[in-house]
């Protein structure tokens, strides 16, 4: 009997496996993953310093423990390079493996902005535990970090690194943080909270060049520091207005894009993500997708709550009870304790307007559609306590 194969051991792959095993203890299950198969809560990467965790402490189980827990074969450091949906096979390390049903839980790729300069390659990004482990090595002993991007992940890292005592500079082209999620007033409130914590902002600017040798120490001539003095680790960033900035490390947080190349090469329908219907079924028989790689009924939502809902529904479908996924309103909590934010963005493209109030210590922004129905909200600071009541008023995204 061929197994159900899940590609990916992130929150989507492992949540699905857990939910499936609650319903079916015996059907052969195989998880194939390009990484080391450790289970970890990815959202904690951006508040690990504040919570006093080393990267390895974020892992809750290794691949061997997960294999026992899930009664599954787990292939680690195994990258799937091709899928043949007609033959029901996939290719790993040059070998073809048969599947009965296949689930793609491939995650997303970080977006990389083109930058010039002799240290452009030193710009880091963080999208998994291995990236984060490298980042922590690089910033050990560092005093400053420059963050490119003022979205959810950039702001969370800014808060976390500042809490750890680093000097933090955030560079972004937007007028205010979280431009794609929040109305400007709410973004400004978050910006003020992080400013009060000591974050430096360089908004309405981009980074054009990243070069080595931003800083020189007392004993070397400018630009000639060696590893002996330690200052050669510093970088000089040039911004779009010609200003410069010196820093020990550069972290790019400019966004993520669903990982679709493998599916596309297999002939599956792909748009912004791997296109699936409410049963999480892709465009070929017995192939499904969930998590950051999936576009579910037109929605690409790169958050935990949607993938948990998808995992529960798909587990039932795989266990023989076809179940469409339901998306209730799923507010996103931004982990910026300097000024907390909770947002339930209105559905993309919907006509309407934000109505904004600024009571003491926070912002309450409510998005009403053309029929004056509440379709989204953003609450910050002293207003975040209203999130549950507001979430109940918002219609489900997928009912
Ligand atoms: C720093 C950070 C903070 C975040 N904070 C929040 C938050 O507070 N709240 C929230 O809701 N969301 C948050 N998110 C988003 C959330 O973590 C993700 O939506 C979620 O973890 C995605 O899980 P996934 O399983 O879809 O993808 P991933 O965790 O990326 O897993 C993808 C898996 O696929 C494997 N893979 C890919 N290609 C192949 C291949 N060809 N062959 C074999 N294996 C392959 C990878 O090795 C990996 O195991 C955050 C994200 C980041 C980066």
């Amino acid at each position: 009997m061929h197994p159900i194969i899940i590609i990916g051991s992130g929150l989507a792959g492992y949540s699905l496996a857990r939910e499936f095993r609650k319903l079916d203890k015996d059907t052969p299950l195989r998880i194939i993953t390009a990484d080391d198969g450790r289970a970890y809560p990815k959202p904690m990467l951006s508040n690990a310093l504040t919570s006093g965790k080393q990267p390895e402490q974020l892992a809750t189980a290794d691949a061997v423990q997960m294999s026992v827990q899930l009664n599954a074969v787990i292939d680690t450091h195994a990258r799937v390079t091709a899928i043949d949906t007609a033959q029901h096979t996939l290719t790993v390390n040059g070998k073809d493996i048969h599947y009965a049903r296949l689930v793609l839980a491939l995650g997303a790729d970080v977006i990389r902005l083109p930058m010039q300069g002799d240290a452009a390659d030193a710009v880091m990004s963080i999208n998994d535990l291995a990236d984060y482990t490298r980042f922590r090595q690089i910033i050990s002993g560092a005093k400053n970090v420059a963050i490119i991007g003022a979205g959810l992940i950039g702001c969370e890292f800014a808060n976390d690194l500042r809490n750890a005592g680093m000097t933090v500079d955030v560079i972004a082209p937007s007028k205010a943080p979280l431009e794609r999620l929040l109305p400007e007033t709410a973004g400004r409130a978050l910006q003020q909270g992080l400013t009060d914590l000591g974050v430096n902002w360089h908004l309405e600017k981009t980074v054009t060049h990243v070069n080595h040798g931003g800083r020189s120490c007392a004993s070397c001539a400018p630009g000639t520091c060696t590893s002996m003095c330690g200052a050669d680790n510093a970088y000089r960033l040039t911004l779009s207005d010609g200003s410069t900035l010196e820093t020990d490390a550069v972290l790019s947080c400019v966004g993520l894009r669903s990982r679709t190349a493998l599916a596309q090469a297999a002939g599956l329908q792909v748009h912004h993500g791997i296109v699936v219907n409410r049963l999480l079924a892709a465009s070929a028989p017995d192939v499904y997708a969930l998590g950051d790689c999936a576009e579910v009924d037109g929605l690409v939502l790169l958050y935990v709550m949607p993938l948990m809902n998808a995992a529960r529904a798909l587990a039932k479908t795989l266990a023989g009870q076809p179940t469409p996924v339901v998306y209730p309103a799923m507010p996103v909590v931004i982990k910026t304790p300097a000024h907390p934010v909770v947002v339930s963005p209105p559905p993309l493209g919907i006509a309407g307007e934000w109505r904004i109030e600024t009571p003491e210590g926070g912002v309450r922004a409510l998005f009403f559609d053309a029929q004056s129905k509440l379709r989204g909200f953003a609450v910050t600071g002293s207003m975040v306590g209203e999130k549950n009541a507001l979430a109940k008023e918002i219609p489900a995204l997928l009912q």
Side-chain angles (χ1 to χ4, degrees), residues 83 104-109 256-276 289 291-295 300 302:
I83 300 167
L104 307 175
L106 302 168
D109 286 313
L256 296 160
R257 192 179 287 130
S258 299
R259 222 169 246 149
T260 54
L262 182 65
Q264 188 154 28
L268 293 166
Q269 194 189 342
V270 159
H271 183 226
H272 296 301
I274 301 167
V275 172
V276 294
D292 280 4
C293 68
E295 179 171 330
V300 179
L302 308 186

Side-chain angles (χ1 to χ4, degrees), residues 275-294:
V275 172
V276 294
N277 61 18
R278 299 257 325 256
L279 291 171
L280 289 318
S283 59
D286 300 319
V287 182
Y288 303 82
L290 82 166
D292 280 4
C293 68

Side-chain angles (χ1 to χ4, degrees), residues 46-47 50 147-163 168-172 174 176-182 186-195 197 199 201 203 251-254 333-341:
S46 48
N47 65 355
T50 305
I147 297 175
I148 304 173
L152 179 150
I153 294 175
C155 289
E156 291 189 351
F157 275 119
N159 200 145
D160 201 41
L161 290 160
R162 193 64 208 117
N163 283 354
V168 177
D169 288 274
V170 179
I171 306 111
S174 57
L178 268 70
E179 189 187 38
R180 273 187 243 146
L181 285 177
L182 300 180
R188 292 253 182 242
L190 170 61
Q191 183 184 355
Q192 187 58 53
L194 289 170
T195 302
L197 188 70
V199 171
W201 298 93
L203 295 176
L251 179 61
S252 172
C253 303
V254 296
V333 177
I334 319 291
K335 302 183 294 296
T336 45
H339 192 81
V341 177

Side-chain angles (χ1 to χ4, degrees), residues 5-9 30-34 75 78-80 90 92 97:
I5 295 186
I6 300 172
I7 312 178
S9 62
R30 186 165 181 175
I31 298 170
I32 300 178
T33 179
D75 303 271
R79 185 168 291 281
V80 175
L90 48 82
V92 179
I97 301 174

